[in-house]
Amino acid sequence: MKSIISGVKISSICAVVPARVLKFEDELKEFPFPESSSRRLGKVMGFREHRIADPKTTLIDLAAYGINCLFKEGVIKKEDIDCLVFSSQVREHLVPGNSKVLHGFLNLSRNTHCIDLYENCTGFISGLYTACSIMRASNLNCVLLVVSNSGCCYANKKDRNTYPLAGDAAGIAVISRADEKETIDFAFFNDSDLRDNLITPAGGMRMPATEETAKMHIDDMGNYRSLNQLHMDGTGVFHYVMENVPFLIKEICELADVKKEDIKYHLTHQPNRFMLEKLADLINVPREIMFNNIVENFGNSSSSTIPVNIAYNLSDKLIDNSYKVCLSAFGAGMSVAGAIMNLGKMDYCKLIEHPCNGSNEY
Amino acid sequence: MTEQEKLAILEDIFDLEAGSLSKEQVLKELEEWDSLSALSVVVMMKDQFDKKITGSDVRKFVKVEDILNLMC
């Protein structure tokens, strides 16, 4: 699906990572592989440090801290928030949805509409499309888009395939009205026949979690995993990205009537450095404008990596300047999502750290 | 490409000394055969031979010879 929405913009971004830093070098001994082999993997993939919150700091805490920061800094006022869109595939509770819980934590107005999207890697762009559509459809002034993913403290420390790149983070984007000639151009494609490339088999209706599904197995490459945990076919994901992201970028440039050379920055989802380097080379884009440094500094926090990427790499530049950028995301589904927009002259754009001390006060 | 040249490409991927890899080598018994080298083989097959190797294909490799046979 392709869509152009006019008169909207992202006016602020606040990205939140836990202050707790874990180092790959300290985790090597847990993996059932020789340390030299793990170091080689770390060097290529970009495993160095990742941010993992303590068990008491949930995805809602990270999000609340970020929004409290925006209140404190005078960027937005509680009563001005017309709608809150929360996009994640992690849940505070099974019932009610994340947006309602966050609404409660922040004591928002009862007039603020709350929506939950159950989205994974493409969650920021999917959420952005939803937030912009709602804004235009209902003639609103301020919609908050929240992506938040936490809970990596429960991930399998022995699974070298997924643990080293796991990270927790939240991203808050303030969607505001813009000049009518400002547009955000979106494109989405779904290849659900490949959904087994990234799947958590047990824990839902199709295969409820049992003692049996919790048992650890060793896969062909020696990784420990249970059916309750994420299975990733690295080769399948690699092929999917290399085949479909160039196609996505071509389609979305055509939609936006923009030449690839006019894109100042490619702000992509951050799976690992290796894949992003290969992708940049494949679509003939200088590696310097397709940042790939988020996994080695913070980890892969699913849909949160895009706001973390923007805030970490372009914070100061985006306050004073405006750039034509292409956002792209790819992953579970399998799906790809893209958006081209002018991003800049922002009211606020920073990465902050949640102290993980039991308080969400900024 | 000669067999020697193909083995050299794999020795580079596995970070092994030149001339140390034999086509009879069973992959499971090679310490350097892990998910990273498997992915590097997949990337090499795509970049250098324009061939798409899937995860399922990789799981079928038993000896180094099985990879060499596809490098054409």
Side-chain angles (χ1 to χ4, degrees):
Chain A
M1 186 194 76
K2 295 178 208 174
S3 176
I4 301 177
I5 303 189
S6 49
V8 289
K9 65 177 179 182
I10 299 177
S11 56
S12 294
I13 285 180
C14 178
V16 184
V17 293
R20 210 163 154 257
V21 181
L22 300 181
K23 293 186 196 295
F24 182 65
E25 187 57 38
D26 299 333
E27 293 161 348
L28 289 179
K29 54 188 185 305
E30 294 289 336
F31 304 131
F33 298 101
E35 288 194 9
S36 58
S37 142
S38 298
R39 279 198 190 90
R40 214 162 49 96
L41 183 74
K43 208 158 154 246
V44 170
M45 291 293 171
F47 299 155
R48 198 181 61 91
E49 287 182 358
H50 46 165
R51 301 294 183 107
I52 297 188
D54 61 296
K56 291 199 163 53
T57 303
T58 69
L59 70 160
I60 301 296
D61 293 312
L62 295 180
Y65 189 75
I67 297 177
N68 280 333
C69 166
L70 293 175
F71 290 154
K72 191 83 179 281
E73 298 284 341
V75 178
I76 50 171
K77 288 206 215 78
K78 216 177 269 210
E79 53 273 19
D80 293 341
I81 305 171
D82 294 312
C83 178
L84 175 69
V85 175
F86 200 126
S87 182
S88 179
Q89 212 144 76
V90 184
R91 294 162 300 183
E92 180 86 345
H93 305 286
L94 294 183
V95 176
N98 291 325
S99 65
K100 284 65 172 172
V101 180
L102 181 60
H103 180 286
F105 267 52
L106 297 169
N107 205 14
L108 298 182
S109 159
R110 70 194 304 266
N111 296 322
T112 302
H113 183 41
C114 297
I115 296 200
D116 288 287
L117 296 181
Y118 193 65
E119 293 286 336
N120 206 287
C121 318
T122 55
F124 184 80
I125 300 178
S126 225
L128 181 62
Y129 170 71
T130 304
C132 291
S133 303
I134 289 171
M135 172 163 277
R136 291 315 321 245
S138 303
N139 208 22
L140 304 177
N141 290 306
C142 173
V143 179
L144 277 198
L145 167 63
V146 177
V147 289
S148 189
N149 294 281
S150 187
C152 292
C153 55
Y154 301 110
N156 183 359
K157 288 194 174 72
K158 282 186 157 35
D159 185 5
R160 201 183 64 172
N161 209 28
T162 55
Y163 187 75
L165 49 80
D168 295 339
I172 294 101
V174 181
I175 316 302
S176 306
R177 299 301 289 265
D179 201 281
E180 274 308 306
K181 62 175 168 43
E182 283 297 323
T183 65
I184 303 186
D185 300 41
F186 294 93
F188 301 94
F189 298 97
N190 287 294
D191 298 279
S192 54
D193 50 323
L194 300 171
R195 64 191 183 280
D196 287 342
N197 280 337
L198 263 174
I199 188 165
T200 302
M205 277 198 85
R206 183 60 63 182
M207 188 191 293
T210 60
E211 255 177 51
E212 198 55 41
T213 63
K215 288 199 179 131
M216 288 291 165
H217 296 283
I218 305 182
D219 73 5
D220 297 311
M221 298 310 294
N223 290 296
Y224 277 82
R225 197 171 302 149
S226 81
L227 290 172
N228 294 348
Q229 293 166 328
L230 184 69
H231 284 215
M232 180 172 66
D233 178 347
T235 308
V237 173
F238 174 79
H239 283 308
Y240 182 74
V241 172
M242 295 303 139
E243 285 164 25
N244 291 284
V245 179
F247 167 76
L248 168 81
I249 291 176
K250 181 170 155 296
E251 289 288 304
I252 208 185
C253 282
E254 260 172 43
L255 179 72
D257 198 20
V258 151
K259 287 206 252 349
K260 202 180 66 184
E261 297 69 48
D262 298 332
I263 307 276
K264 180 77 179 171
Y265 294 105
H266 281 272
L267 303 168
T268 71
H269 170 60
Q270 304 276 306
N272 58 69
R273 190 175 67 215
F274 176 80
M275 203 177 300
L276 292 173
E277 284 177 343
K278 290 275 166 236
L279 185 61
D281 295 347
L282 186 65
I283 63 173
N284 232 337
V285 146
R287 289 182 181 184
E288 304 76 60
I289 68 164
M290 185 182 272
F291 304 115
N292 60 34
N293 56 357
I294 298 306
V295 168
E296 68 192 89
N297 287 295
F298 304 105
N300 174 349
S301 52
S302 184
S303 48
S304 302
T305 64
I306 287 184
V308 169
N309 180 7
I310 295 174
Y312 183 68
N313 287 305
L314 291 176
S315 173
D316 296 326
K317 285 195 163 88
L318 286 174
I319 301 298
D320 297 322
N321 306 293
S322 180
Y323 306 105
K324 182 78 74 189
V325 300
C326 176
L327 271 56
S328 56
F330 29 88
M334 294 203 69
S335 306
V336 290
I340 286 183
M341 69 190 78
N342 290 323
L343 185 67
K345 303 257 197 242
M346 295 175 76
D347 299 328
Y348 184 90
C349 186
K350 284 205 178 105
L351 176 77
I352 61 175
E353 291 186 329
H354 191 300
C356 297
N357 60 1
S359 163
N360 296 329
E361 285 301 310
Y362 179 70
Chain B
M1 196 178 276
T2 67
E3 191 174 276
Q4 228 78 322
E5 284 164 337
K6 293 181 190 178
L7 281 169
I9 292 176
L10 293 182
E11 279 158 357
D12 193 43
I13 287 178
F14 298 147
D15 206 16
L16 287 171
E17 264 182 49
S20 62
L21 190 63
S22 125
K23 70 179 187 189
E24 291 304 316
Q25 172 72 49
V26 172
L27 290 164
K28 276 207 164 71
E29 290 162 14
L30 185 64
E31 200 180 86
E32 288 80 3
W33 178 246
D34 57 18
S35 52
L36 175 62
S37 16
L39 185 59
S40 302
V41 166
V42 169
V43 173
M44 178 272 296
M45 289 299 304
K46 192 172 153 63
D47 287 349
Q48 297 204 30
F49 299 94
D50 205 21
K51 281 208 169 110
K52 179 173 169 178
I53 308 291
T54 65
S56 166
D57 294 329
V58 169
R59 281 190 283 281
K60 293 198 184 96
F61 291 154
V62 176
K63 292 197 256 187
V64 167
E65 190 173 13
D66 298 330
I67 306 177
L68 295 180
N69 289 340
L70 290 177
M71 290 166 74
C72 52

